Amino acid sequence: MRAFGLVAVTIGLIISACTTPPAPGPSVSEPAVDPAFVHGTDRGDTDRLAAAVVTDAQRYWAQAYPDAFGSPWRDLDGGFFSVDTGGVGTPPPCASDRQEVEGNAYYCQSVDAIAWDRTALLPVLREHYGDTAVAVVLSHEVGHAVQQRAGLTEGEPLRLEAMADCYAGSFLRWVSDGHAQHLRTDPDQIDAALRAITVFRDPVGTTGHGTAFDRVTAFQHGFGGGPRGCTGVTESNVAEPVDDDPNEPLASLLDTTSMAEHFRSVVVDHGGRWVPPARSTGCPGAGEPVGFCPSPPTVSADPAALSRTHEDIGDQAVTTLLASRYALAALSELGQRVTGERILCLTGAFTAQQPHLSPGDLDEAVQLVLDSDVVSRGGGAPMSGSARIAAFRDGVTSGSTECLK
């Protein structure tokens, strides 16, 4: 059974972690897909959305699968199962009772079927992350059906999950480009769905579906490049596979000596002269946690605002905010054209160079970059969360030299 991996206890994490209003999600055009073909359906709005997703997903793969794998696509012959996990009755395939499905969606390989919890999973996704999150979850499960047809079901679980995320990304790009018959989405709704993916990351010290960084990387790989390259997607191995240490105190994070030294090296290595920015608390606008003033070069931090970030997300989120302002200072010293992409790329490169970086640390940075445009401020036009993540990821994986090309 290939499951999306949201267990019941994680429902509370979804609700508590949601810091932005839900996007409206893809609209189901009229006439909406009748979910009569779904076993156990109540024919309500949630199952109508689910039916639209799996219908469009299979239509997508009917077009994309032959090009990617050289053979025709075959629709799922085991069917689709909507489960009321608070009710009674026959459990779906690959489950011994309905409660096993609570907070979950999965692909049952033995009968080629997909099941979802319409009570405690899909409605929560819709409320907190918008309908596009439902499309991501169910297209991920269809991705496992793609693997089954392509003979790609063996291997490391994390690699298989990354592939399914990648296939989901390729499908959502097709939807985003306006090719789907029933679904519509836009960049804001994609950002909301990525926030859901970051919540569905593996808890620290466990494995199953990958870190937030791994998951959004795989999704964006498919979104940007299509399904052909998804078989090569794997976990990043950027961060050390160790348990997270407790959050460092905010006071120690505000000591940016080592951060300033890192960016000094970047500037000097690329032919510039580094003038260490002064530090203050008065440069950003009211309520901004960090800021940069070019004349004289000054990085400022609002301890009260950073304290909220420290409490809500974690210590690495604070470090990421500060690093983004030193990245802006470095670009200014080098006389480089300042863009949000370069700021984020240099911030990602710094993040990857931190000693003892853990998966939990990297996930805190991903959450901050996805949720906050403060990290790209000073770089021109506003960027979507997805674009911010892509630029940050480029720095993590490629280093500062690539950021400055």
Side-chain angles (χ1 to χ4, degrees):
M1 178 172 72
R2 299 293 182 198
F4 197 78
L6 176 65
V7 295
V9 69
T10 310
I11 294 294
L13 294 178
I14 294 175
I15 296 172
S16 64
C18 183
T19 58
T20 56
S27 60
V28 180
S29 61
E30 295 297 337
V33 175
D34 185 346
F37 66 90
V38 177
H39 300 281
T41 183
D42 64 355
R43 304 187 81 156
D45 287 346
T46 295
D47 273 353
R48 294 176 81 83
L49 171 61
V53 173
V54 298
T55 297
D56 277 353
Q58 293 193 105
R59 183 173 287 111
Y60 166 72
W61 284 109
Q63 300 173 24
Y65 189 90
D67 183 55
F69 298 102
S71 59
W73 168 256
R74 174 174 51 85
D75 281 351
L76 275 73
D77 54 25
F80 302 91
F81 293 79
S82 172
V83 184
D84 176 2
T85 51
V88 296
T90 304
C94 287
S96 58
D97 62 60
R98 287 169 172 259
Q99 284 65 45
E100 288 183 17
V101 189
E102 186 174 3
N104 215 340
Y106 64 83
Y107 171 66
C108 178
Q109 182 176 326
S110 62
V111 298
D112 196 34
I114 289 174
W116 59 79
D117 176 2
R118 74 161 182 271
T119 306
L121 174 63
L122 300 196
V124 175
L125 287 170
R126 298 185 75 187
E127 179 181 359
H128 293 282
Y129 299 101
D131 292 357
T132 300
V134 173
V136 170
V137 167
L138 295 182
S139 61
H140 171 101
E141 301 311 328
V142 175
H144 287 307
V146 172
Q147 292 171 330
Q148 190 272 337
R149 283 152 176 72
L152 298 170
T153 58
E154 301 299 323
E156 292 293 326
L158 284 176
R159 179 172 176 269
L160 297 177
E161 296 303 329
M163 266 196 282
D165 284 334
C166 185
Y167 291 141
S170 70
F171 167 67
L172 263 295
R173 176 58 180 268
W174 182 75
V175 174
S176 180
D177 287 345
H179 300 306
Q181 181 176 351
H182 303 100
L183 304 177
R184 300 290 182 269
T185 192
D186 62 32
D188 287 342
Q189 295 159 10
I190 294 293
D191 286 354
L194 286 178
R195 291 186 186 100
I197 289 176
T198 66
V199 173
F200 295 146
R201 65 183 181 267
D202 290 331
V204 173
T206 67
T207 59
H209 284 72
T211 65
F213 183 83
D214 291 334
R215 300 207 71 175
V216 298
T217 294
F219 179 90
Q220 290 189 322
H221 189 85
F223 192 90
R228 278 191 170 186
C230 290
T231 54
V233 172
T234 185
E235 60 181 316
S236 65
N237 294 320
V238 171
E240 294 184 3
V242 296
D243 290 349
D244 254 359
D245 292 328
N247 276 341
E248 286 191 44
L250 180 61
S252 67
L253 300 174
L254 294 174
D255 179 357
T256 55
T257 303
S258 62
M259 185 180 295
E261 177 59 25
H262 168 88
F263 285 100
R264 183 200 68 80
S265 297
V266 171
V267 170
V268 171
D269 289 349
H270 289 85
R273 176 175 171 270
W274 175 250
V275 177
R279 285 290 308 276
S280 79
T281 58
C283 183
E288 291 289 356
V290 294
F292 173 69
C293 295
S295 183
T298 304
V299 169
S300 65
D302 180 341
L306 287 174
S307 178
R308 291 190 291 272
T309 301
H310 186 265
E311 180 178 348
D312 292 344
I313 303 178
D315 53 1
Q316 190 62 39
V318 172
T319 298
T320 302
L321 282 169
L322 289 166
S324 74
R325 300 307 86 187
Y326 277 91
L328 181 54
L331 288 168
S332 298
E333 291 297 329
L334 284 168
Q336 291 261 8
R337 184 170 65 92
V338 178
T339 66
E341 288 83 357
R342 279 180 166 168
I343 294 170
L344 284 156
C345 187
L346 287 175
T347 303
F350 166 77
T351 301
Q353 292 299 311
Q354 288 183 259
H356 312 301
L357 181 72
S358 73
D361 291 331
L362 194 54
D363 284 355
E364 289 172 4
V366 166
Q367 184 178 342
L368 186 281
V369 171
L370 184 59
D371 284 347
S372 175
D373 66 353
V374 173
V375 289
S376 57
R377 292 271 176 87
M383 301 171 64
S384 69
S386 179
R388 292 195 299 268
I389 287 291
F392 176 82
R393 188 185 73 237
D394 285 345
V396 170
T397 57
S398 300
S400 58
T401 297
E402 291 297 316
C403 302
L404 297 171
K405 286 185 175 179

PDB file of all heavy atoms in Angstrom, residues 2 53 66 99 102 131-132 136 143 147 161 166 245 254 282 290 299 303 320 322 371:
ATOM      1  N   ARG A   2       0.719   2.092  -1.006  1.00  0.00           N
ATOM      2  CA  ARG A   2       1.441   3.348  -1.077  1.00  0.00           C
ATOM      3  C   ARG A   2       0.516   4.442  -0.566  1.00  0.00           C
ATOM      4  O   ARG A   2      -0.456   4.802  -1.210  1.00  0.00           O
ATOM      5  CB  ARG A   2       1.855   3.645  -2.517  1.00  0.00           C
ATOM      6  CG  ARG A   2       2.787   2.589  -3.102  1.00  0.00           C
ATOM      7  CD  ARG A   2       4.132   2.608  -2.408  1.00  0.00           C
ATOM      8  NE  ARG A   2       5.018   1.627  -2.998  1.00  0.00           N
ATOM      9  CZ  ARG A   2       6.099   1.180  -2.411  1.00  0.00           C
ATOM     10  NH1 ARG A   2       6.429   1.598  -1.210  1.00  0.00           N
ATOM     11  NH2 ARG A   2       6.878   0.297  -3.010  1.00  0.00           N
ATOM     12  N   VAL A  53     -10.621  15.300  -9.866  1.00  0.00           N
ATOM     13  CA  VAL A  53      -9.163  15.152  -9.855  1.00  0.00           C
ATOM     14  C   VAL A  53      -8.745  13.845 -10.517  1.00  0.00           C
ATOM     15  O   VAL A  53      -7.885  13.825 -11.411  1.00  0.00           O
ATOM     16  CB  VAL A  53      -8.611  15.221  -8.418  1.00  0.00           C
ATOM     17  CG1 VAL A  53      -7.121  14.887  -8.414  1.00  0.00           C
ATOM     18  CG2 VAL A  53      -8.839  16.608  -7.817  1.00  0.00           C
ATOM     19  N   PRO A  66       2.332   7.520 -22.666  1.00  0.00           N
ATOM     20  CA  PRO A  66       2.986   6.945 -23.864  1.00  0.00           C
ATOM     21  C   PRO A  66       4.274   7.669 -24.242  1.00  0.00           C
ATOM     22  O   PRO A  66       5.250   7.031 -24.655  1.00  0.00           O
ATOM     23  CB  PRO A  66       1.916   7.105 -24.949  1.00  0.00           C
ATOM     24  CG  PRO A  66       0.626   7.140 -24.207  1.00  0.00           C
ATOM     25  CD  PRO A  66       0.926   7.889 -22.942  1.00  0.00           C
ATOM     26  N   GLN A  99     -11.253   2.631  10.026  1.00  0.00           N
ATOM     27  CA  GLN A  99     -10.448   3.531  10.843  1.00  0.00           C
ATOM     28  C   GLN A  99      -8.983   3.559  10.397  1.00  0.00           C
ATOM     29  O   GLN A  99      -8.281   4.537  10.641  1.00  0.00           O
ATOM     30  CB  GLN A  99     -10.554   3.149  12.318  1.00  0.00           C
ATOM     31  CG  GLN A  99     -11.878   3.586  12.969  1.00  0.00           C
ATOM     32  CD  GLN A  99     -13.091   2.884  12.372  1.00  0.00           C
ATOM     33  OE1 GLN A  99     -13.072   1.663  12.164  1.00  0.00           O
ATOM     34  NE2 GLN A  99     -14.135   3.642  12.079  1.00  0.00           N
ATOM     35  N   GLU A 102      -8.185   6.623   8.360  1.00  0.00           N
ATOM     36  CA  GLU A 102      -8.402   7.948   8.928  1.00  0.00           C
ATOM     37  C   GLU A 102      -7.216   8.873   8.663  1.00  0.00           C
ATOM     38  O   GLU A 102      -6.066   8.542   8.934  1.00  0.00           O
ATOM     39  CB  GLU A 102      -8.645   7.858  10.435  1.00  0.00           C
ATOM     40  CG  GLU A 102      -9.028   9.197  11.052  1.00  0.00           C
ATOM     41  CD  GLU A 102      -9.411   9.074  12.512  1.00  0.00           C
ATOM     42  OE1 GLU A 102      -9.322   7.959  13.065  1.00  0.00           O
ATOM     43  OE2 GLU A 102      -9.793  10.095  13.090  1.00  0.00           O
ATOM     44  N   ASP A 131      -8.475  23.694  -2.562  1.00  0.00           N
ATOM     45  CA  ASP A 131      -8.761  22.482  -3.329  1.00  0.00           C
ATOM     46  C   ASP A 131      -7.551  21.938  -4.076  1.00  0.00           C
ATOM     47  O   ASP A 131      -7.481  20.751  -4.381  1.00  0.00           O
ATOM     48  CB  ASP A 131      -9.890  22.758  -4.316  1.00  0.00           C
ATOM     49  CG  ASP A 131     -11.224  22.990  -3.622  1.00  0.00           C
ATOM     50  OD1 ASP A 131     -11.304  22.878  -2.393  1.00  0.00           O
ATOM     51  OD2 ASP A 131     -12.191  23.269  -4.326  1.00  0.00           O
ATOM     52  N   THR A 132      -6.586  22.808  -4.390  1.00  0.00           N
ATOM     53  CA  THR A 132      -5.401  22.318  -5.089  1.00  0.00           C
ATOM     54  C   THR A 132      -4.640  21.304  -4.241  1.00  0.00           C
ATOM     55  O   THR A 132      -3.996  20.397  -4.782  1.00  0.00           O
ATOM     56  CB  THR A 132      -4.483  23.490  -5.481  1.00  0.00           C
ATOM     57  OG1 THR A 132      -5.204  24.377  -6.335  1.00  0.00           O
ATOM     58  CG2 THR A 132      -3.249  23.016  -6.224  1.00  0.00           C
ATOM     59  N   VAL A 136      -3.184  17.656  -5.317  1.00  0.00           N
ATOM     60  CA  VAL A 136      -1.821  17.164  -5.111  1.00  0.00           C
ATOM     61  C   VAL A 136      -1.837  15.794  -4.441  1.00  0.00           C
ATOM     62  O   VAL A 136      -1.137  14.862  -4.856  1.00  0.00           O
ATOM     63  CB  VAL A 136      -1.002  18.166  -4.278  1.00  0.00           C
ATOM     64  CG1 VAL A 136       0.331  17.556  -3.850  1.00  0.00           C
ATOM     65  CG2 VAL A 136      -0.749  19.439  -5.075  1.00  0.00           C
ATOM     66  N   GLY A 143       0.185   8.798  -9.070  1.00  0.00           N
ATOM     67  CA  GLY A 143       1.594   8.624  -9.396  1.00  0.00           C
ATOM     68  C   GLY A 143       2.114   7.246  -9.030  1.00  0.00           C
ATOM     69  O   GLY A 143       2.961   6.680  -9.731  1.00  0.00           O
ATOM     70  N   GLN A 147       3.840   4.299 -11.387  1.00  0.00           N
ATOM     71  CA  GLN A 147       4.993   3.458 -11.073  1.00  0.00           C
ATOM     72  C   GLN A 147       4.684   1.982 -11.294  1.00  0.00           C
ATOM     73  O   GLN A 147       5.504   1.224 -11.831  1.00  0.00           O
ATOM     74  CB  GLN A 147       5.412   3.679  -9.619  1.00  0.00           C
ATOM     75  CG  GLN A 147       5.986   5.054  -9.339  1.00  0.00           C
ATOM     76  CD  GLN A 147       6.171   5.305  -7.859  1.00  0.00           C
ATOM     77  OE1 GLN A 147       5.427   4.781  -7.020  1.00  0.00           O
ATOM     78  NE2 GLN A 147       7.158   6.122  -7.516  1.00  0.00           N
ATOM     79  N   GLU A 161       8.478   7.639  -3.142  1.00  0.00           N
ATOM     80  CA  GLU A 161       7.602   8.747  -2.761  1.00  0.00           C
ATOM     81  C   GLU A 161       7.993  10.030  -3.496  1.00  0.00           C
ATOM     82  O   GLU A 161       7.134  10.812  -3.896  1.00  0.00           O
ATOM     83  CB  GLU A 161       7.648   8.967  -1.250  1.00  0.00           C
ATOM     84  CG  GLU A 161       7.111   7.794  -0.433  1.00  0.00           C
ATOM     85  CD  GLU A 161       5.688   7.421  -0.801  1.00  0.00           C
ATOM     86  OE1 GLU A 161       4.906   8.317  -1.194  1.00  0.00           O
ATOM     87  OE2 GLU A 161       5.343   6.232  -0.721  1.00  0.00           O
ATOM     88  N   CYS A 166       6.838  13.978  -7.787  1.00  0.00           N
ATOM     89  CA  CYS A 166       7.247  14.525  -9.076  1.00  0.00           C
ATOM     90  C   CYS A 166       6.142  14.350 -10.114  1.00  0.00           C
ATOM     91  O   CYS A 166       5.815  15.286 -10.866  1.00  0.00           O
ATOM     92  CB  CYS A 166       8.539  13.853  -9.524  1.00  0.00           C
ATOM     93  SG  CYS A 166       9.280  14.510 -11.037  1.00  0.00           S
ATOM     94  N   ASP A 245      18.298  19.274  17.191  1.00  0.00           N
ATOM     95  CA  ASP A 245      18.596  19.786  18.517  1.00  0.00           C
ATOM     96  C   ASP A 245      17.495  20.766  18.904  1.00  0.00           C
ATOM     97  O   ASP A 245      16.775  21.287  18.046  1.00  0.00           O
ATOM     98  CB  ASP A 245      19.948  20.513  18.516  1.00  0.00           C
ATOM     99  CG  ASP A 245      21.102  19.546  18.287  1.00  0.00           C
ATOM    100  OD1 ASP A 245      20.989  18.390  18.723  1.00  0.00           O
ATOM    101  OD2 ASP A 245      22.090  19.961  17.650  1.00  0.00           O
ATOM    102  N   LEU A 254      21.099  36.075  17.119  1.00  0.00           N
ATOM    103  CA  LEU A 254      21.335  37.467  16.739  1.00  0.00           C
ATOM    104  C   LEU A 254      22.819  37.815  16.651  1.00  0.00           C
ATOM    105  O   LEU A 254      23.173  38.884  16.172  1.00  0.00           O
ATOM    106  CB  LEU A 254      20.629  38.403  17.719  1.00  0.00           C
ATOM    107  CG  LEU A 254      19.091  38.333  17.688  1.00  0.00           C
ATOM    108  CD1 LEU A 254      18.490  39.195  18.789  1.00  0.00           C
ATOM    109  CD2 LEU A 254      18.554  38.745  16.328  1.00  0.00           C
ATOM    110  N   GLY A 282      16.639  49.661  13.873  1.00  0.00           N
ATOM    111  CA  GLY A 282      15.729  50.674  13.374  1.00  0.00           C
ATOM    112  C   GLY A 282      15.563  50.764  11.881  1.00  0.00           C
ATOM    113  O   GLY A 282      14.853  51.634  11.402  1.00  0.00           O
ATOM    114  N   VAL A 290      13.354  41.881   9.793  1.00  0.00           N
ATOM    115  CA  VAL A 290      14.726  42.211   9.403  1.00  0.00           C
ATOM    116  C   VAL A 290      14.684  43.234   8.273  1.00  0.00           C
ATOM    117  O   VAL A 290      13.669  43.393   7.593  1.00  0.00           O
ATOM    118  CB  VAL A 290      15.516  40.965   8.935  1.00  0.00           C
ATOM    119  CG1 VAL A 290      15.736  39.989  10.074  1.00  0.00           C
ATOM    120  CG2 VAL A 290      14.805  40.281   7.768  1.00  0.00           C
ATOM    121  N   VAL A 299      22.431  46.086   8.524  1.00  0.00           N
ATOM    122  CA  VAL A 299      21.451  45.007   8.685  1.00  0.00           C
ATOM    123  C   VAL A 299      20.769  45.222  10.019  1.00  0.00           C
ATOM    124  O   VAL A 299      21.432  45.380  11.045  1.00  0.00           O
ATOM    125  CB  VAL A 299      22.114  43.620   8.632  1.00  0.00           C
ATOM    126  CG1 VAL A 299      21.129  42.539   9.056  1.00  0.00           C
ATOM    127  CG2 VAL A 299      22.632  43.339   7.224  1.00  0.00           C
ATOM    128  N   PRO A 303      13.959  42.364  17.416  1.00  0.00           N
ATOM    129  CA  PRO A 303      13.918  41.179  18.280  1.00  0.00           C
ATOM    130  C   PRO A 303      12.505  40.696  18.570  1.00  0.00           C
ATOM    131  O   PRO A 303      12.269  39.479  18.655  1.00  0.00           O
ATOM    132  CB  PRO A 303      14.624  41.654  19.556  1.00  0.00           C
ATOM    133  CG  PRO A 303      15.523  42.761  19.099  1.00  0.00           C
ATOM    134  CD  PRO A 303      14.761  43.453  18.018  1.00  0.00           C
ATOM    135  N   THR A 320      17.449  32.205   8.586  1.00  0.00           N
ATOM    136  CA  THR A 320      17.168  32.416   7.167  1.00  0.00           C
ATOM    137  C   THR A 320      16.806  33.869   6.888  1.00  0.00           C
ATOM    138  O   THR A 320      17.255  34.456   5.891  1.00  0.00           O
ATOM    139  CB  THR A 320      16.036  31.483   6.709  1.00  0.00           C
ATOM    140  OG1 THR A 320      16.419  30.121   6.962  1.00  0.00           O
ATOM    141  CG2 THR A 320      15.740  31.648   5.228  1.00  0.00           C
ATOM    142  N   LEU A 322      17.733  36.527   8.627  1.00  0.00           N
ATOM    143  CA  LEU A 322      18.949  37.330   8.754  1.00  0.00           C
ATOM    144  C   LEU A 322      19.886  37.109   7.566  1.00  0.00           C
ATOM    145  O   LEU A 322      20.458  38.059   7.028  1.00  0.00           O
ATOM    146  CB  LEU A 322      19.651  36.986  10.065  1.00  0.00           C
ATOM    147  CG  LEU A 322      18.955  37.470  11.344  1.00  0.00           C
ATOM    148  CD1 LEU A 322      19.545  36.787  12.565  1.00  0.00           C
ATOM    149  CD2 LEU A 322      19.083  38.989  11.471  1.00  0.00           C
ATOM    150  N   ASP A 371       6.379  30.835   3.084  1.00  0.00           N
ATOM    151  CA  ASP A 371       5.331  31.653   3.705  1.00  0.00           C
ATOM    152  C   ASP A 371       5.609  33.153   3.650  1.00  0.00           C
ATOM    153  O   ASP A 371       4.670  33.952   3.708  1.00  0.00           O
ATOM    154  CB  ASP A 371       5.146  31.254   5.171  1.00  0.00           C
ATOM    155  CG  ASP A 371       4.393  29.944   5.328  1.00  0.00           C
ATOM    156  OD1 ASP A 371       3.813  29.482   4.335  1.00  0.00           O
ATOM    157  OD2 ASP A 371       4.382  29.394   6.444  1.00  0.00           O
TER     158      ASP A 371
END
